[in-house]
Amino acid sequence: MTDALSGISLPIPDGWVGQEMQAGAQVSSEEEYKCPGDTSKTCSKGGAYSAPALVLGSRGSTAEEVAKADIAKNAEESYGGSSYGKITSHDVLASKAVTVAGQKGYLVRWKAVTSKGSDGFVQSLAFPSPAQPERIVVVRFGVDTDQKQSVLDEITEGIKAASGGGTGQDV
């Protein structure tokens, strides 16, 4: 799934679907259920989406600063609010440098414990855009804990620099 704005493509794991958005790309599990905190809403077993850090309001000048600043917002968006009740606690599972699409990036992964329904693995991944290295891209992940945590690694490792497309600004 191509995110032309950020100059990357996200892999689509088996059983997931993808779509390009105005400011990024999204992949999500086809497996859905009624949200435990608000049964009028539909929750997915997992998802990931990319967007420029600027669009998400994630602060920092390095990939590490942005990933560390973004993780709490990501956890709240993925597993907080009315969908799962509130996040009661979290465990830091990883905080490390990674290479993504040929760029030096950083990821932070938490296990978020919710007051209602499934707990979740959340991950904020930040790295310079391969198309515009001065722009930091964020990929936010949220996956229910009854899913394999390895899907986070599969998507992270499968992110590539996009070929073709682009914003047309480098003409």
Side-chain angles (χ1 to χ4, degrees), residues 22-71:
Q22 191 171 355
Q26 174 180 316
V27 295
S28 59
S29 172
E30 292 178 303
E31 197 173 339
E32 296 180 333
Y33 56 94
K34 290 186 181 299
C35 296
D38 180 352
T39 56
S40 70
K41 292 183 180 175
T42 301
C43 286
S44 169
K45 287 284 188 180
Y49 71 91
S50 61
L54 200 60
V55 170
L56 297 175
S58 302
R59 302 197 183 281
S61 56
T62 67
E64 181 175 354
E65 289 172 358
V66 170
K68 287 179 175 178
D70 187 73
I71 190 69

Side-chain angles (χ1 to χ4, degrees), residues 9 13 44-45 49 59-60 62 80 82 98 107 114 129-130 133 139-140 144 163 170:
S9 65
S44 169
K45 287 284 188 180
Y49 71 91
R59 302 197 183 281
T62 67
S82 63
V98 291
L107 73 76
T114 66
S129 163
V139 182
R140 286 182 175 171
D144 289 2
S163 53
D170 298 326

Side-chain angles (χ1 to χ4, degrees), residues 35-122:
C35 296
D38 180 352
T39 56
S40 70
K41 292 183 180 175
T42 301
C43 286
S44 169
K45 287 284 188 180
Y49 71 91
S50 61
L54 200 60
V55 170
L56 297 175
S58 302
R59 302 197 183 281
S61 56
T62 67
E64 181 175 354
E65 289 172 358
V66 170
K68 287 179 175 178
D70 187 73
I71 190 69
K73 279 191 222 169
N74 179 7
E76 183 60 32
E77 178 184 285
S78 298
Y79 287 95
S82 63
S83 297
Y84 294 91
K86 63 181 182 187
I87 294 174
T88 58
S89 66
H90 74 271
D91 295 319
V92 177
L93 302 177
S95 184
K96 63 183 182 179
V98 291
T99 299
V100 182
Q103 305 295 313
K104 291 187 184 308
Y106 201 87
L107 73 76
V108 179
R109 183 181 300 173
W110 286 3
K111 177 182 177 187
V113 179
T114 66
S115 63
K116 295 180 181 174
S118 179
D119 295 336
F121 298 120
V122 291

